[in-house]
Amino acid sequence: MPYANNSYVETNKRKYDFRAEIRPVFLILGVLVSGGIFSTEVIASKADISTQAHQQIRSYLYRDVARFAGSIGSNDFRIDLDKSTLSDCDTPFEISRNKARPPTGKVTLTVECHHPKYWKSRIKAEVRVYQKIVVAKHTIERDQVLTANDFKRRRTDISYVRQGYFTTFNELDNQVSKRRITVGKIISPRMVEFAKWVERHQEVVIEARIGGMAARMKGVALESGSKGEQIKVKNSTSDKTILATVVGPKKVQTLF
């Protein structure tokens, strides 16, 4: 009888040990045993939640940056999103950004959750948008009349280009340098100006347009002017002073 009792105890101990060994395995695998039927419950880890959150945030920022880049004729950009741990959220995040600034350089996104409890967090990103912009091919001297041979285009991150830039050589036609520009320097609108097509006291041709007809007469410029500027011009025939637009070297245009 004692022998039988010992066998019973030993057998039960082995069963208990076996259950003790497999229970943690089931917990690790997320498997629940109920009524002899195995059922699975997928429980996302903190890492999974964080990955899904950052995917949603990255998608939002990607669309925002792609829209901006497209508006300036570029599809060349890079986004580096900070990795931050976010709390659980049962609903998609509300993501927003300060729209007063373009999404370039250092960008901050506001992320909000409303369920199961409200919380707000800020995620930072570094965004680089590239364009091929005009730079000096060689040193350009002050008051130099510019030609396409003075420039080349270079792929540049425009995020921190603060004074403007040009993307084509045509934009610099008929312009002169306002100061000395060193090789490789980004050409900004502040560095150049249109050449004076008309000088003060210079004789000019006045083109007067009436509907589809045009008449030409001689005049004298009372002011200097560059392309597109309005200046005062004296009609040599009538001695009247008129406002006319500079449209070419020694040529102005007015409407009657």
PDB file of all heavy atoms in Angstrom, residues 40-41 50 57-58 72 76 90 93 116 123 153 157 176 178 214 223 245 248:
ATOM      1  N   THR A  40      -6.197  31.570 -30.070  1.00  0.00           N
ATOM      2  CA  THR A  40      -5.076  32.513 -30.034  1.00  0.00           C
ATOM      3  C   THR A  40      -5.593  33.935 -29.882  1.00  0.00           C
ATOM      4  O   THR A  40      -6.650  34.288 -30.405  1.00  0.00           O
ATOM      5  CB  THR A  40      -4.244  32.429 -31.319  1.00  0.00           C
ATOM      6  OG1 THR A  40      -5.071  32.733 -32.418  1.00  0.00           O
ATOM      7  CG2 THR A  40      -3.631  31.062 -31.476  1.00  0.00           C
ATOM      8  N   GLU A  41      -4.827  34.756 -29.179  1.00  0.00           N
ATOM      9  CA  GLU A  41      -5.156  36.170 -28.991  1.00  0.00           C
ATOM     10  C   GLU A  41      -3.901  36.964 -29.338  1.00  0.00           C
ATOM     11  O   GLU A  41      -2.849  36.789 -28.725  1.00  0.00           O
ATOM     12  CB  GLU A  41      -5.563  36.429 -27.538  1.00  0.00           C
ATOM     13  CG  GLU A  41      -5.905  37.889 -27.280  1.00  0.00           C
ATOM     14  CD  GLU A  41      -6.268  38.121 -25.812  1.00  0.00           C
ATOM     15  OE1 GLU A  41      -6.167  37.162 -25.026  1.00  0.00           O
ATOM     16  OE2 GLU A  41      -6.618  39.253 -25.483  1.00  0.00           O
ATOM     17  N   SER A  50       4.634  51.077 -31.318  1.00  0.00           N
ATOM     18  CA  SER A  50       5.528  52.177 -31.689  1.00  0.00           C
ATOM     19  C   SER A  50       5.815  52.154 -33.187  1.00  0.00           C
ATOM     20  O   SER A  50       5.822  53.187 -33.846  1.00  0.00           O
ATOM     21  CB  SER A  50       6.824  52.087 -30.891  1.00  0.00           C
ATOM     22  OG  SER A  50       7.678  53.156 -31.197  1.00  0.00           O
ATOM     23  N   ILE A  57       2.794  58.257 -38.787  1.00  0.00           N
ATOM     24  CA  ILE A  57       3.389  59.599 -38.748  1.00  0.00           C
ATOM     25  C   ILE A  57       4.238  59.835 -39.992  1.00  0.00           C
ATOM     26  O   ILE A  57       4.177  60.893 -40.616  1.00  0.00           O
ATOM     27  CB  ILE A  57       4.228  59.780 -37.469  1.00  0.00           C
ATOM     28  CG1 ILE A  57       3.311  59.717 -36.235  1.00  0.00           C
ATOM     29  CG2 ILE A  57       4.992  61.088 -37.489  1.00  0.00           C
ATOM     30  CD1 ILE A  57       4.045  59.542 -34.929  1.00  0.00           C
ATOM     31  N   ARG A  58       5.033  58.837 -40.371  1.00  0.00           N
ATOM     32  CA  ARG A  58       5.882  58.974 -41.557  1.00  0.00           C
ATOM     33  C   ARG A  58       5.036  59.154 -42.821  1.00  0.00           C
ATOM     34  O   ARG A  58       5.382  59.954 -43.692  1.00  0.00           O
ATOM     35  CB  ARG A  58       6.784  57.750 -41.696  1.00  0.00           C
ATOM     36  CG  ARG A  58       7.677  57.776 -42.924  1.00  0.00           C
ATOM     37  CD  ARG A  58       8.636  56.605 -42.958  1.00  0.00           C
ATOM     38  NE  ARG A  58       9.686  56.790 -41.974  1.00  0.00           N
ATOM     39  CZ  ARG A  58      10.783  57.521 -42.198  1.00  0.00           C
ATOM     40  NH1 ARG A  58      10.948  58.136 -43.362  1.00  0.00           N
ATOM     41  NH2 ARG A  58      11.697  57.653 -41.275  1.00  0.00           N
ATOM     42  N   ILE A  72       7.481  72.981 -56.152  1.00  0.00           N
ATOM     43  CA  ILE A  72       8.666  73.712 -56.609  1.00  0.00           C
ATOM     44  C   ILE A  72       9.420  72.920 -57.685  1.00  0.00           C
ATOM     45  O   ILE A  72      10.570  73.211 -57.985  1.00  0.00           O
ATOM     46  CB  ILE A  72       9.603  74.052 -55.439  1.00  0.00           C
ATOM     47  CG1 ILE A  72      10.109  72.781 -54.741  1.00  0.00           C
ATOM     48  CG2 ILE A  72       8.932  74.972 -54.448  1.00  0.00           C
ATOM     49  CD1 ILE A  72      11.194  73.049 -53.708  1.00  0.00           C
ATOM     50  N   ASP A  76      12.813  65.094 -55.192  1.00  0.00           N
ATOM     51  CA  ASP A  76      14.053  64.627 -54.568  1.00  0.00           C
ATOM     52  C   ASP A  76      14.082  65.107 -53.120  1.00  0.00           C
ATOM     53  O   ASP A  76      14.338  66.290 -52.858  1.00  0.00           O
ATOM     54  CB  ASP A  76      15.242  65.186 -55.362  1.00  0.00           C
ATOM     55  CG  ASP A  76      16.585  64.646 -54.861  1.00  0.00           C
ATOM     56  OD1 ASP A  76      16.585  63.789 -53.957  1.00  0.00           O
ATOM     57  OD2 ASP A  76      17.631  65.096 -55.383  1.00  0.00           O
ATOM     58  N   ASP A  90      -6.196  53.684 -29.012  1.00  0.00           N
ATOM     59  CA  ASP A  90      -7.134  52.764 -29.655  1.00  0.00           C
ATOM     60  C   ASP A  90      -7.618  53.271 -31.017  1.00  0.00           C
ATOM     61  O   ASP A  90      -8.240  52.530 -31.763  1.00  0.00           O
ATOM     62  CB  ASP A  90      -8.361  52.546 -28.749  1.00  0.00           C
ATOM     63  CG  ASP A  90      -7.988  51.760 -27.496  1.00  0.00           C
ATOM     64  OD1 ASP A  90      -6.869  51.210 -27.446  1.00  0.00           O
ATOM     65  OD2 ASP A  90      -8.813  51.706 -26.566  1.00  0.00           O
ATOM     66  N   PHE A  93      -4.094  58.300 -34.782  1.00  0.00           N
ATOM     67  CA  PHE A  93      -3.636  59.560 -34.225  1.00  0.00           C
ATOM     68  C   PHE A  93      -4.159  60.739 -35.035  1.00  0.00           C
ATOM     69  O   PHE A  93      -4.408  60.638 -36.227  1.00  0.00           O
ATOM     70  CB  PHE A  93      -2.106  59.634 -34.232  1.00  0.00           C
ATOM     71  CG  PHE A  93      -1.435  58.596 -33.387  1.00  0.00           C
ATOM     72  CD1 PHE A  93      -0.577  57.688 -33.955  1.00  0.00           C
ATOM     73  CD2 PHE A  93      -1.664  58.529 -32.023  1.00  0.00           C
ATOM     74  CE1 PHE A  93       0.055  56.729 -33.191  1.00  0.00           C
ATOM     75  CE2 PHE A  93      -1.041  57.576 -31.249  1.00  0.00           C
ATOM     76  CZ  PHE A  93      -0.175  56.670 -31.832  1.00  0.00           C
ATOM     77  N   PRO A 116      -7.674  55.411 -25.354  1.00  0.00           N
ATOM     78  CA  PRO A 116      -8.549  55.372 -24.165  1.00  0.00           C
ATOM     79  C   PRO A 116      -8.414  56.581 -23.252  1.00  0.00           C
ATOM     80  O   PRO A 116      -9.301  56.872 -22.461  1.00  0.00           O
ATOM     81  CB  PRO A 116      -8.087  54.097 -23.447  1.00  0.00           C
ATOM     82  CG  PRO A 116      -6.650  53.957 -23.849  1.00  0.00           C
ATOM     83  CD  PRO A 116      -6.581  54.426 -25.254  1.00  0.00           C
ATOM     84  N   ILE A 123       6.761  65.041 -32.145  1.00  0.00           N
ATOM     85  CA  ILE A 123       7.774  64.241 -32.827  1.00  0.00           C
ATOM     86  C   ILE A 123       8.582  65.159 -33.741  1.00  0.00           C
ATOM     87  O   ILE A 123       8.009  65.946 -34.492  1.00  0.00           O
ATOM     88  CB  ILE A 123       7.128  63.121 -33.666  1.00  0.00           C
ATOM     89  CG1 ILE A 123       6.237  62.232 -32.788  1.00  0.00           C
ATOM     90  CG2 ILE A 123       8.193  62.286 -34.359  1.00  0.00           C
ATOM     91  CD1 ILE A 123       6.977  61.427 -31.770  1.00  0.00           C
ATOM     92  N   ARG A 153      24.687  74.251 -62.614  1.00  0.00           N
ATOM     93  CA  ARG A 153      23.647  73.876 -61.643  1.00  0.00           C
ATOM     94  C   ARG A 153      24.190  72.792 -60.721  1.00  0.00           C
ATOM     95  O   ARG A 153      24.894  71.880 -61.157  1.00  0.00           O
ATOM     96  CB  ARG A 153      22.383  73.413 -62.352  1.00  0.00           C
ATOM     97  CG  ARG A 153      21.705  74.522 -63.143  1.00  0.00           C
ATOM     98  CD  ARG A 153      20.237  74.235 -63.381  1.00  0.00           C
ATOM     99  NE  ARG A 153      20.026  72.951 -64.023  1.00  0.00           N
ATOM    100  CZ  ARG A 153      18.870  72.284 -64.009  1.00  0.00           C
ATOM    101  NH1 ARG A 153      17.836  72.771 -63.365  1.00  0.00           N
ATOM    102  NH2 ARG A 153      18.752  71.135 -64.630  1.00  0.00           N
ATOM    103  N   ASP A 157      20.465  70.999 -51.015  1.00  0.00           N
ATOM    104  CA  ASP A 157      19.372  70.972 -50.041  1.00  0.00           C
ATOM    105  C   ASP A 157      18.926  72.411 -49.823  1.00  0.00           C
ATOM    106  O   ASP A 157      19.685  73.241 -49.309  1.00  0.00           O
ATOM    107  CB  ASP A 157      19.861  70.355 -48.730  1.00  0.00           C
ATOM    108  CG  ASP A 157      18.815  70.406 -47.618  1.00  0.00           C
ATOM    109  OD1 ASP A 157      17.633  70.678 -47.918  1.00  0.00           O
ATOM    110  OD2 ASP A 157      19.192  70.186 -46.447  1.00  0.00           O
ATOM    111  N   VAL A 176      23.123  91.878 -64.552  1.00  0.00           N
ATOM    112  CA  VAL A 176      24.516  92.149 -64.219  1.00  0.00           C
ATOM    113  C   VAL A 176      24.715  91.896 -62.736  1.00  0.00           C
ATOM    114  O   VAL A 176      23.765  91.954 -61.941  1.00  0.00           O
ATOM    115  CB  VAL A 176      24.924  93.603 -64.574  1.00  0.00           C
ATOM    116  CG1 VAL A 176      24.862  93.848 -66.056  1.00  0.00           C
ATOM    117  CG2 VAL A 176      24.051  94.608 -63.819  1.00  0.00           C
ATOM    118  N   LYS A 178      25.778  92.650 -58.979  1.00  0.00           N
ATOM    119  CA  LYS A 178      25.832  93.845 -58.138  1.00  0.00           C
ATOM    120  C   LYS A 178      27.071  93.849 -57.250  1.00  0.00           C
ATOM    121  O   LYS A 178      27.428  94.871 -56.675  1.00  0.00           O
ATOM    122  CB  LYS A 178      24.575  93.914 -57.265  1.00  0.00           C
ATOM    123  CG  LYS A 178      23.301  94.109 -58.057  1.00  0.00           C
ATOM    124  CD  LYS A 178      22.054  93.905 -57.214  1.00  0.00           C
ATOM    125  CE  LYS A 178      21.883  94.968 -56.167  1.00  0.00           C
ATOM    126  NZ  LYS A 178      20.605  94.800 -55.441  1.00  0.00           N
ATOM    127  N   ALA A 214      -0.062  99.469 -83.984  1.00  0.00           N
ATOM    128  CA  ALA A 214       1.079 100.030 -83.269  1.00  0.00           C
ATOM    129  C   ALA A 214       1.680 101.171 -84.073  1.00  0.00           C
ATOM    130  O   ALA A 214       1.750 101.120 -85.314  1.00  0.00           O
ATOM    131  CB  ALA A 214       2.129  98.960 -83.024  1.00  0.00           C
ATOM    132  N   GLU A 223      14.326 109.251 -67.398  1.00  0.00           N
ATOM    133  CA  GLU A 223      14.823 108.422 -66.295  1.00  0.00           C
ATOM    134  C   GLU A 223      15.522 107.202 -66.883  1.00  0.00           C
ATOM    135  O   GLU A 223      15.243 106.802 -68.015  1.00  0.00           O
ATOM    136  CB  GLU A 223      13.670 107.942 -65.391  1.00  0.00           C
ATOM    137  CG  GLU A 223      12.915 109.050 -64.687  1.00  0.00           C
ATOM    138  CD  GLU A 223      11.706 108.501 -63.939  1.00  0.00           C
ATOM    139  OE1 GLU A 223      10.920 107.766 -64.572  1.00  0.00           O
ATOM    140  OE2 GLU A 223      11.558 108.810 -62.749  1.00  0.00           O
ATOM    141  N   THR A 245       6.794 101.691 -70.496  1.00  0.00           N
ATOM    142  CA  THR A 245       7.463 100.517 -69.932  1.00  0.00           C
ATOM    143  C   THR A 245       8.668 100.147 -70.789  1.00  0.00           C
ATOM    144  O   THR A 245       8.565 100.087 -72.025  1.00  0.00           O
ATOM    145  CB  THR A 245       6.500  99.320 -69.875  1.00  0.00           C
ATOM    146  OG1 THR A 245       5.366  99.674 -69.082  1.00  0.00           O
ATOM    147  CG2 THR A 245       7.183  98.109 -69.246  1.00  0.00           C
ATOM    148  N   GLY A 248      12.990  96.877 -74.131  1.00  0.00           N
ATOM    149  CA  GLY A 248      14.204  96.466 -74.821  1.00  0.00           C
ATOM    150  C   GLY A 248      15.238  97.573 -74.746  1.00  0.00           C
ATOM    151  O   GLY A 248      14.948  98.671 -74.248  1.00  0.00           O
TER     152      GLY A 248
END
